[in-house]
Amino acid sequence: MPEGVMKAWLESSHLSGANTAYIEELYEHYLENSQSVSDEWRAVFDSLPKIEGADVEYKHSAIREEFRELAKQPARNVIVSGGSDAKQVKVLQLINAYRFRGHQNANIDPLGLWQRDKVRDLQLSHHDLSENDFDKEFNVGSFACGQETMKLGDLYKALRKTYCGSIGAEYMHMTSTEEKRWIQSRLESVQSQGQYSTEQKEEILKGLIAADGLEKYLGAKFPGAKRFSLEGGDALVPMLKELITRAGTHGTKEVVVGMAHRGRLNVLVNVMGKNPAKLFDEFAGKTDEALGSGDVKYHQGYSSDFVTPGGNVHLALAFNPSHLEIVNPVVMGSVRARLDRRDCDEGDLVLPITIHGDSAIAGQGVVQETFNMSQARAFKVGGSIRIVVNNQVGFTTSDPSDTRSGEYCTDIAKMVNAPILHVNSDDPEAVILATQVALDFRNKFKRDVVIDLVCYRRHGHNEADEPNATQPLMYQVIKKHPTPRQLYADRLNAENSIAKAKSDDLAAYYRKLLDEGQCTVEQWRPMTEHSVDWSPFLGHDWDDEYDHEISVSKLKELASSISSYPEDHPVHSRVKKVYDDRKKMAAGEKLLDWGFAESLAYAAIVDGGNRVRITGQDAGRGTFFHRHAVLHNQTDASHYLPLKNVREGQGAFDVHDSVLSEVSVLAFEYGYTTAEPNGLTIWEAQFGDFANCAQVVFDQFISSGEQKWGRLCGLTMLLPHGYEGQGPEHSSARLERYLQLCADHNMQVCVPSTPAQVFNMLRRQVVRPMRRPLIVMSPKSLLRHPLAVSSLEELSNGAYHNVIGETDEDIKPENVERVVFCSGKVYYELLEQRRKNEQNNVAIIRVEQLYPFPETELRAELEQYQHVKQFVWCQEEPQNQGAWYCSQHHFRACIPEGNYLTYAGRKASAAPAVGYMSVHVKEQQALVHDALNVE
Ligand code: AMP
């Protein structure tokens, strides 16, 4: 095109800001096939600068930038002159509009109640097209219909069918052209209509019959009992069965499912294969004493196998407390553990499925956190299938407009460019197609994908609830609305696939299975596929013997190995100093500090063939610059991890800086540890009190999972704690909260005070076959305290001491008049002050494990102080915090009869610590003096 002509055309054309997306799309067409765009546009694109050697993506973004620049200029006339090329451009624009916004006019609400605005972009007239153009043939660009050209009438019909039928596909927000094209090819090629054989249709129908049949049966047999019925969302059952079958067919070995109450009993019986007789027993109030304090039936998890054409798939439904959405990171952690065990980085072998409520997915922040984790190195699992059972009522009674601000409840998924398939649950074949596309997308691109199963809730929040009270109009419609099973059976009957009589027979057969208390899932198989044996970890007591010896020579060998790194890996001078010191420690020239002893524990564990996994916000370096497990090359920023290089064939060592979250990271690690008993899993808080944000995980899972569900968990939590004048937020890890949660020997709460202790505490968590959570008040200033050092011999001793008695030889028991108990760093302040005071009548006893309280060890230690009358508990925390209230009865039970235990510590306070250094110092001195009885 001559330059002058092109200039005129450009000035009368589409180059205004509003059209950049459209032009971008045209440019994509042009890149794929330059003949697919009009001559004018080809001339424009031909004239754009070529970038030598750049790939298509790069050219694309460069051009987009170019158009963005153009868009900043004043808007030009956007009217195209009336030729057929102009129409062709408009047709491509129409296709684009359907891809972008078709979902907004899709038929996805089974009740037909959604008020949706007309989308102007979807009207022919918006694109200067009309039915008069229907017989004209146009190039369809990348529209994946298998033809290069189509009559506009056929194209329009195809677009409406593809994008405005029972599936509303929302995917054009995705930034990867390849992924967008993939979705287009899957949906456009079949116009969003799945083609299913009669057998497949029968399978879908059976799923609906089962979903409906169970609820009706339970409703009749246990009227008014809470079951959080699935009715209205019945398609979930055939959907899950399809997901599992298809995943298994493509090689998946395990599927882990997380879901809330709604429909859970149905999934347990009709997907997982739980025996209905067992469920009926639970309704009838029978208990399973093997499960400790137990849990309500709609929180129960389950494990089974499911046969597929690709072999058996192991299914695990995660136990789930009432707290919404918190099970998602637990599921992801469980999947990651199973993937790690199977050495599967890609995620193919284990599939996570999380099932969400429509209000919860939009309302609960933990959902955002798990999306954010989904591609992060420490947490990725090859993508999750996220299903929303969207019954259009928030929790009990709320309208969607009260529960979210976005158009869809699934908007949050756009933050990770996940495709979102909204699907009408009354069209089960569309549900199955959406399911297949979602799974295939996940397996191909290893990323999250969302299916928004738009359904309704036939009853109230639970079966005793009256939904008409708050949703009168909706429930008038629901009352008259046929069940999904009825609708589908009628449809199959009408199309002559499955006759009504056959559907009735299938329903009668299902009912018979329930009557006989038989498993209703044909694909159910007894468990054989799970890959870990928990039996070595069952039934242990705290005082069981375990093999904890480790020789000094072995320690020296490990110390020398982990204190060295390649010469051509220059590290920062401050890190070099840490490692130079470690070399001296390894050579026996220096006593070991905290960081090195801790690293040696990891070395000993991986040397023993077990794995170590540590996550936390600064886990690689350590918040307080003490760990340096990851050595950053100062020239090329590469990493070297000495702990990955201990020996050939060692256990894995993984340390990851986590995403900036507490609740979902801790829940993830809980999930990891409950699926993997071997090795050591640690979550480290940046400061101990940040764990407040994860309180739900401590309350609902860590402290009570074994008692409620019989699920062991050996997770270790390092919570930095100690009063160093850093103010209210950075002093206390809120020890009192953990002690208050302690009962039934549910977990350990430790406050180690020496490097040897931290070494042995961490090793104990692996070599002792007991798997219970370990809460550690870990230190800050002790990391560099000159007195907090240990010898290799002390490490080699190999046992964690729950109580450390007086170690100063100058303190003779017979001279002792006062015994001070304490935990943590205050010990060193008491010691230094006592030395300064030259007091030899005070013994200091460290209690290094506050729960389970080491009564036997403490009593043994106190044998030599039976004559003493003054017993004091000294703590840094205010009186209403720390160990005082929760642990004093344990101390009282151990001291000689007739004696009182007194308190030395800060007075009760609303905040954990003061904000002023000067006040802190004064308080600290006072409590130390008080404990030592110094005026
Ligand atoms: P799963 O792979 O989670 O389905 O678990 C399979 C079986 O392993 C369960 O039925 C339990 O018997 C056992 N199991 C799984 N996790 C744990 C755990 N955390 N503690 C004790 N036993 C477990």
Side-chain angles (χ1 to χ4, degrees):
M1 191 187 302
E3 210 183 302
V5 179
M6 185 156 111
K7 187 164 175 286
W9 183 83
L10 275 174
E11 281 173 5
S12 68
S13 193
H14 276 61
L15 300 180
S16 76
N19 290 318
T20 49
Y22 160 60
I23 295 164
E24 181 191 344
E25 176 76 5
L26 272 188
Y27 186 68
E28 283 175 24
H29 290 308
Y30 163 84
L31 284 176
E32 278 173 16
N33 173 8
S34 62
Q35 298 307 312
S36 70
V37 301
S38 67
D39 291 347
E40 288 95 337
W41 280 111
R42 191 163 47 253
V44 173
F45 294 142
D46 281 347
S47 73
L48 291 169
K50 300 279 177 298
I51 300 163
E52 282 302 313
D55 60 20
V56 169
E57 270 304 306
Y58 182 53
K59 281 189 215 163
H60 182 182
S61 57
I63 300 306
R64 190 162 48 194
E65 270 317 299
E66 179 106 13
F67 283 119
R68 282 209 178 107
E69 281 309 307
L70 281 167
K72 286 182 198 153
Q73 296 166 17
R76 298 183 174 95
N77 180 5
V78 295
I79 308 299
V80 179
S81 54
S84 65
D85 274 352
K87 290 258 181 204
Q88 171 65 70
V89 169
K90 296 294 187 178
V91 168
L92 294 177
Q93 199 177 30
L94 179 76
I95 295 173
N96 206 32
Y98 271 85
R99 286 171 167 174
F100 263 103
R101 302 194 62 190
H103 58 88
Q104 289 181 294
N105 275 185
N107 171 31
I108 50 179
D109 173 17
L111 299 178
L113 291 174
W114 277 15
Q115 306 282 334
R116 311 210 73 184
D117 292 335
K118 254 210 162 114
V119 181
R120 282 200 306 130
D121 309 35
L122 302 179
Q123 313 293 310
L124 289 169
S125 56
H126 183 73
H127 302 277
D128 297 332
L129 298 168
S130 73
E131 293 187 6
N132 295 335
D133 301 311
F134 271 11
D135 284 337
K136 291 187 195 137
E137 195 83 12
F138 288 95
N139 191 308
V140 293
S142 64
F143 187 66
C145 57
Q147 295 161 235
E148 273 188 23
T149 61
M150 262 176 122
K151 288 204 167 102
L152 180 64
D154 294 337
L155 174 65
Y156 183 64
K157 228 169 42 204
L159 286 170
R160 294 223 46 96
K161 228 168 145 186
T162 307
Y163 288 110
C164 297
S166 298
I167 296 179
E170 211 187 346
Y171 66 95
M172 290 298 278
H173 54 276
M174 289 157 45
T175 48
S176 156
T177 306
E178 186 196 355
E179 292 176 14
K180 279 191 276 199
R181 290 280 180 260
W182 187 91
I183 300 258
Q184 283 158 7
S185 75
R186 288 298 297 270
L187 295 180
E188 292 170 357
S189 60
V190 295
Q191 298 184 7
S192 296
Q193 313 292 309
Q195 299 301 320
Y196 299 108
S197 65
T198 308
E199 290 73 42
Q200 286 168 314
K201 290 178 181 185
E202 184 174 321
E203 199 52 39
I204 300 172
L205 178 64
K206 278 193 205 159
L208 295 177
I209 287 173
D212 183 65
L214 181 73
E215 298 295 353
K216 295 247 160 64
Y217 197 90
L218 290 175
K221 212 168 158 151
F222 307 100
K226 278 190 200 173
R227 62 191 149 93
F228 301 101
S229 153
L230 179 62
E231 284 158 284
D234 310 40
L236 182 68
V237 168
M239 179 188 215
L240 286 176
K241 291 182 83 172
E242 173 63 23
L243 264 178
I244 298 161
T245 307
R246 195 172 180 88
T249 308
H250 293 117
T252 295
K253 294 284 167 222
E254 297 184 67
V255 173
V256 186
V257 183
M259 72 181 295
H261 302 36
R262 172 111 10 248
R264 192 177 176 98
L265 300 183
N266 216 310
V267 169
L268 275 166
V269 170
N270 287 324
V271 179
M272 311 291 299
K274 176 170 175 158
N275 193 311
K278 187 147 192 319
L279 180 68
F280 302 153
D281 282 351
E282 288 165 10
F283 269 99
K286 293 197 187 143
T287 56
D288 182 350
E289 287 182 3
L291 276 186
S293 55
D295 204 346
V296 291
K297 46 194 168 300
Y298 36 84
H299 289 171
Q300 300 290 356
Y302 201 71
S303 304
S304 60
D305 284 5
F306 189 104
V307 69
T308 77
N312 280 12
V313 174
H314 177 69
L315 306 182
L317 176 66
F319 291 83
N320 184 86
S322 290
H323 292 49
L324 295 168
E325 302 288 349
I326 187 65
V327 78
N328 302 325
V330 176
V331 166
M332 283 170 67
S334 172
V335 169
R336 175 69 179 242
R338 292 164 203 258
L339 287 169
D340 285 353
R341 190 159 57 231
R342 291 176 179 273
D343 221 355
C344 174
D345 289 340
E346 294 286 292
D348 296 334
L349 297 180
V350 188
L351 174 73
I353 303 176
T354 53
I355 303 175
H356 309 255
D358 46 327
S359 303
I361 194 172
Q364 298 286 324
V366 72
V367 175
Q368 176 274 332
E369 293 194 11
T370 51
F371 274 120
N372 189 42
M373 291 164 100
S374 63
Q375 291 297 314
R377 195 166 49 98
F379 308 106
K380 64 181 178 191
V381 290
S384 305
I385 304 281
R386 296 170 175 266
I387 301 167
V388 184
V389 177
N390 181 353
N391 61 32
Q392 312 186 47
V393 185
F395 181 47
T396 46
T397 63
S398 303
D399 287 331
S401 60
D402 289 332
T403 60
R404 61 176 187 259
S405 299
E407 179 171 12
Y408 294 109
C409 62
T410 50
D411 286 352
I412 187 71
K414 291 186 190 165
M415 71 175 271
V416 291
N417 280 314
I420 302 160
L421 300 170
H422 307 278
V423 58
N424 186 326
S425 71
D426 268 358
D427 183 348
E429 290 182 16
V431 171
I432 296 301
L433 178 65
T435 303
Q436 293 171 339
V437 171
L439 180 69
D440 296 352
F441 178 90
R442 183 266 177 188
N443 285 347
K444 180 161 175 60
F445 297 106
K446 317 291 179 212
R447 301 207 303 104
D448 283 16
V449 51
V450 179
I451 307 172
D452 178 17
L453 182 68
V454 185
C455 55
Y456 57 92
R457 193 186 72 188
R458 185 159 289 280
H459 308 289
H461 170 62
N462 60 50
E463 287 60 38
D465 194 13
E466 175 47 85
N468 282 292
T470 51
Q471 261 81 27
L473 299 186
M474 179 186 250
Y475 276 83
Q476 282 162 27
V477 175
I478 291 176
K479 202 166 171 203
K480 292 187 215 128
H481 195 75
T483 63
R485 172 201 143 188
Q486 260 171 311
L487 284 173
Y488 192 52
D490 290 350
R491 173 169 155 187
L492 295 179
N493 189 43
E495 68 179 36
N496 290 327
S497 314
I498 296 177
K500 184 175 177 308
K502 167 96 187 193
S503 305
D504 292 346
D505 285 352
L506 291 171
Y509 177 69
Y510 181 80
R511 207 189 142 84
K512 179 169 163 286
L513 291 177
L514 292 185
D515 280 338
E516 291 169 0
Q518 287 196 48
C519 174
T520 65
V521 180
E522 280 166 44
Q523 298 88 343
W524 176 88
R525 294 290 178 278
M527 260 194 291
T528 52
E529 268 299 323
H530 68 286
S531 47
V532 67
D533 180 10
W534 281 87
S535 58
F537 306 99
L538 300 174
H540 295 288
D541 248 324
W542 298 105
D543 44 13
D544 285 357
E545 288 293 319
Y546 63 96
D547 184 11
H548 51 62
E549 292 297 323
I550 182 160
S551 67
V552 172
S553 60
K554 174 49 101 181
L555 281 171
K556 280 190 174 150
E557 180 192 318
L558 295 173
S560 135
S561 154
I562 63 164
S563 55
S564 45
Y565 52 92
E567 272 173 22
D568 59 356
H569 191 87
V571 298
H572 189 273
S573 56
R574 285 182 61 192
V575 180
K576 181 171 181 309
K577 160 100 182 58
V578 171
Y579 269 71
D580 287 348
D581 279 350
R582 287 185 181 179
K583 284 196 185 100
K584 289 185 194 148
M585 294 170 201
E589 293 162 22
K590 241 184 139 179
L591 289 172
L592 276 68
D593 66 9
W594 199 281
F596 196 40
E598 185 197 311
S599 302
L600 267 178
Y602 304 139
I605 294 167
V606 296
D607 183 60
N610 283 302
R611 42 145 221 104
V612 171
R613 173 183 166 91
I614 311 172
T615 58
Q617 283 148 14
D618 296 312
R621 183 199 72 178
T623 302
F624 310 104
F625 215 76
H626 83 289
R627 183 170 298 129
H628 298 292
V630 182
L631 297 178
H632 298 256
N633 186 316
Q634 296 296 297
T635 355
D636 63 11
S638 62
H639 296 164
Y640 180 80
L641 285 82
L643 283 159
K644 274 190 186 287
N645 293 281
V646 173
R647 69 165 174 85
E648 278 287 304
Q650 65 169 81
F653 178 79
D654 290 309
V655 61
H656 298 288
D657 294 346
S658 73
V659 297
L660 193 56
S661 142
E662 286 80 25
V663 64
S664 54
V665 175
L666 184 61
F668 185 102
E669 301 307 340
Y670 171 82
Y672 195 103
T673 323
T674 44
E676 178 52 88
N678 295 301
L680 179 68
T681 308
I682 294 181
W683 175 68
E684 181 174 57
Q686 203 173 44
F687 283 98
D689 64 316
F690 292 175
N692 283 345
C693 298
Q695 192 68 41
V696 55
V697 186
F698 289 105
D699 289 353
Q700 313 298 323
F701 293 95
I702 292 170
S703 64
S704 54
E706 186 184 343
Q707 284 64 32
K708 294 191 291 190
W709 312 317
R711 286 298 185 264
L712 303 174
C713 166
L715 182 59
T716 297
M717 286 135 284
L718 302 182
L719 311 178
H721 174 82
Y723 281 62
E724 275 122 12
Q726 290 190 40
E729 265 60 81
H730 292 338
S731 297
S732 174
R734 313 302 307 232
L735 170 63
E736 62 282 359
R737 300 213 173 141
Y738 302 101
L739 292 175
Q740 193 234 346
L741 289 172
C742 288
D744 296 331
H745 289 203
N746 56 345
M747 54 191 195
Q748 312 147 77
V749 178
C750 290
V751 197
S753 66
T754 70
Q757 283 284 82
V758 77
F759 173 85
N760 285 310
M761 176 190 72
L762 293 172
R763 266 193 85 229
R764 180 175 80 169
Q765 193 68 346
V766 177
V767 293
R768 179 164 69 180
M770 174 177 274
R771 291 294 174 263
R772 292 246 161 86
L774 167 62
I775 310 271
V776 184
M777 298 290 112
S778 63
K780 294 172 285 174
S781 60
L782 287 196
L783 300 175
R784 275 172 270 282
H785 197 292
L787 293 179
V789 285
S790 303
S791 63
L792 283 171
E793 286 69 24
E794 284 172 286
L795 268 63
S796 145
N797 173 317
Y800 183 72
H801 302 288
N802 292 332
V803 173
I804 303 182
E806 182 53 64
T807 51
D808 199 329
E809 283 171 8
D810 291 342
I811 309 293
K812 308 280 180 233
E814 59 276 18
N815 298 335
V816 168
E817 293 167 27
R818 189 174 175 87
V819 170
V820 179
F821 303 112
C822 67
S823 291
K825 88 160 198 345
V826 73
Y827 164 72
Y828 291 98
E829 289 164 55
L830 290 165
L831 182 67
E832 285 174 308
Q833 190 62 46
R834 186 182 68 181
R835 283 182 182 165
K836 234 190 248 167
N837 297 347
E838 296 182 352
Q839 279 178 283
N840 61 8
N841 59 347
V842 177
I844 309 174
I845 298 180
R846 280 169 278 176
V847 180
E848 306 258 312
Q849 177 172 293
L850 285 161
Y851 193 85
F853 194 82
E855 214 173 297
T856 315
E857 289 106 308
L858 189 59
R859 277 181 197 280
E861 192 57 40
L862 287 174
E863 276 299 316
Q864 55 199 317
Y865 303 118
Q866 292 299 308
H867 58 283
V868 173
K869 298 278 173 244
Q870 299 172 33
F871 292 90
V872 186
W873 165 252
C874 175
Q875 67 176 33
E876 299 183 288
E877 301 86 353
Q879 193 169 9
N880 56 325
Q881 298 165 31
W884 174 240
Y885 282 134
C886 283
S887 302
Q888 53 177 281
H889 61 289
H890 290 302
F891 288 99
R892 292 210 162 105
C894 294
I895 60 179
E897 251 184 48
N899 286 297
Y900 288 107
L901 178 75
T902 55
Y903 168 81
R906 288 183 163 80
K907 66 181 174 45
S909 155
V914 293
Y916 306 104
M917 189 53 128
S918 55
V919 183
H920 159 77
V921 170
K922 237 193 243 163
E923 285 181 350
Q924 195 76 8
Q925 272 170 0
L927 72 90
V928 168
H929 286 177
D930 204 14
L932 296 173
N933 203 18
V934 181
E935 290 304 315

